[in-house]
Amino acid sequence: MAEPRWLDEREQRAWRGYRRMRRLLDLELARELMRDAGLSEPDYDVLSDLSETPDQRLRLSELADRMLWSRSRLSHHLTRMQQRGLVAREECASDGRGAVVVLTAEGRRAIEAAAPGHVAAVRRHLIDLLTPDEVAALDALTHRVVDHLTRPGE
């Protein structure tokens, strides 16, 4: 068995710094989103994904894939969102077993009300702390890692 390639001091510092930053940033953004808009991060993800589609609807399976959630977990979450009037479910016309998630007028109002504050928080806690070169570097490295992790068969 090959000897592990341990992280050197600089790599370890970068890795641990990234992990701590991600946890703190996620926590703060979630707190502010709930406090200011009454939405959880998953609520916001569902509403923003639906609002960005031309007909404001997605198959449940596609939405689950986007969120990296199981269909069952998403289905339970959508039930709670339906009870609040944010989304509706319809049968899929092309597949009787599938479901389509639809953004309601209330859901549209919620995402439109939440988005400005959420974007301001993202700016305040990340984007505006970086130089333009650092934003470009962040863009490049996040896409490189996402591409690596989402390549089929690897």
Side-chain angles (χ1 to χ4, degrees):
M1 185 177 211
E3 182 68 25
R5 287 184 53 220
W6 299 111
L7 300 179
D8 66 28
E9 189 174 322
R10 184 175 181 213
E11 292 166 335
Q12 184 73 261
R13 181 179 149 83
W15 172 242
R16 288 186 180 182
Y18 161 76
R19 299 263 315 185
R20 179 131 174 90
M21 177 201 69
R22 194 194 80 215
R23 286 190 297 258
L24 288 169
L25 184 59
D26 287 349
L27 181 63
E28 187 58 30
L29 292 176
R31 282 181 184 157
E32 290 187 26
L33 190 58
M34 182 56 73
R35 181 194 69 216
D36 298 343
L39 296 174
S40 67
E41 283 184 305
D43 291 342
Y44 190 89
D45 290 342
V46 167
L47 296 176
S48 65
D49 280 352
L50 291 173
S51 73
E52 292 169 357
T53 64
D55 55 356
Q56 301 189 347
R57 62 184 59 232
L58 284 168
R59 285 183 62 110
L60 189 143
S61 58
E62 182 180 346
L63 186 55
D65 289 346
R66 287 179 180 212
M67 293 182 66
L68 304 176
W69 280 19
S70 70
R71 285 188 284 275
S72 174
R73 180 180 180 194
L74 178 58
S75 183
H76 288 294
H77 187 78
L78 292 173
T79 297
R80 292 186 294 277
M81 291 182 76
Q82 278 182 275
Q83 292 167 348
R84 293 162 46 214
L86 300 173
V87 298
R89 272 189 252 207
E90 298 175 354
E91 285 187 22
C92 181
S94 63
D95 175 5
R97 297 176 302 147
V100 174
V101 184
V102 182
L103 184 66
T104 63
E106 183 61 30
R108 166 62 66 194
R109 283 190 290 277
I111 193 66
E112 287 176 351
H118 185 59
V119 169
V122 169
R123 284 196 159 284
R124 184 172 53 258
H125 299 303
L126 179 65
I127 299 300
D128 290 348
L129 301 175
L130 306 176
T131 67
D133 287 344
E134 290 169 331
V135 171
L138 179 63
D139 177 52
L141 82 87
T142 57
H143 282 87
R144 183 178 325 137
V145 172
V146 168
D147 288 348
H148 167 76
L149 294 172
T150 58
R151 267 188 254 143
E154 293 191 18

